[in-house]
Amino acid sequence: MTMRGSNVVIIGGRSGMGFATAQLTRHEGANVTIVSRSSEKLQEAARQIGEVKIIVADFTNESDVERIFRDMDHVDHIFVSAGSYFGAKVIGTDLELFRSDVAQKFWGPLYVVRNAAPSLHSVAPKPVSPEPARHSGSAASTAGCGARTSTRSC
């Protein structure tokens, strides 16, 4: 598959796997948009990658995600690498850590899928879930699709 001319949105594109994906897809000729919460770090990533569009947004905030895709009429690929992992005991751990983890693993990907769907061009978006077919199309399977999907359409 060629990336030349593709429109790629990378959420979490300022470091790690997202940054490497942005570098590679840009090198392959894609039009790349990187999204992160930190303006400073996004600007530094853009300087290192080259010609990319940057959007400061928190993908766990639905209005931020709406803003990411509001003016995009054509998106070919979306890669979500934002978020972090924490391991903690259930007892004695501040519930805000769990809320943050759920927001990053469930709500963020769900917001991305819902708001990007009108702009996706390759294939009509459809939820993919390891759950039985009767759950297809549910919010949980759609969010799971977003969480498990990189450049594959849901």
Side-chain angles (χ1 to χ4, degrees):
M1 167 171 50
T2 179
M3 297 301 290
R4 184 159 308 285
S6 293
N7 296 310
V8 179
V9 177
I10 301 172
I11 299 174
R14 69 166 180 85
S15 64
M17 287 176 38
F19 179 79
T21 303
Q23 284 182 308
L24 178 62
T25 55
R26 183 65 203 120
H27 177 75
E28 293 292 323
N31 305 307
V32 177
T33 299
I34 57 176
V35 180
S36 185
R37 292 178 299 186
S38 170
S39 176
E40 245 178 58
K41 292 178 181 178
L42 264 177
Q43 289 173 17
E44 177 58 30
R47 277 191 287 280
Q48 292 177 39
I49 297 167
E51 190 179 330
V52 296
K53 180 179 177 182
I54 62 173
I55 298 175
V56 177
D58 177 353
F59 91 121
T60 65
N61 179 307
E62 187 171 19
S63 62
D64 278 11
V65 177
E66 287 172 0
R67 187 173 43 81
I68 292 168
F69 295 101
R70 181 178 301 134
D71 297 325
M72 292 187 187
D73 61 347
H74 182 105
V75 175
D76 295 298
H77 306 283
I78 299 168
F79 182 75
V80 177
S81 67
S84 57
Y85 171 79
F86 81 95
K89 294 180 179 181
V90 173
I91 306 299
T93 300
D94 184 348
L95 288 177
E96 282 308 309
L97 288 174
F98 292 110
R99 285 187 183 94
S100 173
D101 199 42
V102 168
Q104 292 175 33
K105 305 290 187 306
F106 180 80
W107 291 112
L110 180 112
Y111 298 151
V112 169
V113 170
R114 287 173 54 107
N115 287 281
S119 304
L120 286 172
H121 274 258
S122 300
V123 188
K126 11 180 207 217
V128 175
S129 172
E131 300 297 318
R134 64 185 164 77
H135 293 294
S136 184
S138 71
S141 68
T142 302
C145 172
R148 291 184 298 277
T149 303
S150 58
T151 58
R152 179 183 82 195
S153 292
C154 293

